Amino acid sequence: MALLTLVRHGQASFLQQNYDKLSERGESQSRILGEYWLRTGARFGQIYYGPACRHLRTGEIVAEVYRQAGVAWPQPVTLPELDEYPGIEVVRTFLPGLMETHEDIRALDAEFRQAGEQDVAFRLFDKLFARITRMWVAEELDSPDVEPWKDFCARIDRGLALIRDAAGKNARIAVFTSGGVIAATVRKALDLAPQKTLELSWTSRNASYTELLFSPERFSLASFNNHPHLENEDLLTYR
């Protein structure tokens, strides 16, 4: 059986001008993952990155750890199919109209904008994000400027097919990507419903890894959201 290991990127810059950049903590999480894998003998024959900067940077930090130790790290392949679902675009596109028709969304947005403490603002944004993305996944929201949920899942399936087609019988493959991509991959293994898949996308820790076993006939979940390397509680983040 081949082993596919999916890594969620290190912590990005949530609610900052450029989200797609690892925070200082995200860089530390990625380095610790590389050190843990090196220490436990993890080796990979193929490496794939999603196209986002946070994907590439997470993978490159792990690669640096391996190279500095004199351990081979394969030349990575970037697959645009492994990009995250357009959650921020969903909120930006549909929020103005939803505020006019949904009192609860209007109230949540007002609370978020008036929040003084960062932690409070984060929690309120999470509620707003979940409320709107659930509607998008349920196909209640549509725009030619936003990728539909079904198209996102089909894109992930295409990316997985490319990886599987290029894999040998006992291949060891690492993919650096985002939580939504990982959830959509688990969906394929477990036949999850759309809303359950969306919920799962919110649970992966930054710099955690999920493992799947596959052959031409089989695609099975082996483990989910592993983070034994993140022993310090300050390193356990979702954003």
Side-chain angles (χ1 to χ4, degrees), residues 3 18 21 30 34 38 43 46 57 60 64 72 95 99 113 124 134 159 167 177 190 215 219 230:
L3 177 65
N18 180 16
K21 177 183 178 182
S30 304
L38 191 63
R43 301 292 184 268
Q46 294 164 287
R57 182 58 184 151
E60 280 308 301
E64 288 168 9
L95 178 59
M99 287 175 60
R113 295 182 185 280
L124 290 168
R134 284 185 186 279
T177 184
L190 300 183
S215 66
F219 193 69
L230 302 176

Side-chain angles (χ1 to χ4, degrees), residues 5-22:
T5 301
L6 302 175
V7 179
R8 188 186 175 203
H9 60 81
Q11 185 187 56
S13 301
F14 186 63
L15 293 185
Q16 301 299 311
Q17 186 172 1
N18 180 16
Y19 168 73
D20 192 21
K21 177 183 178 182
L22 293 190

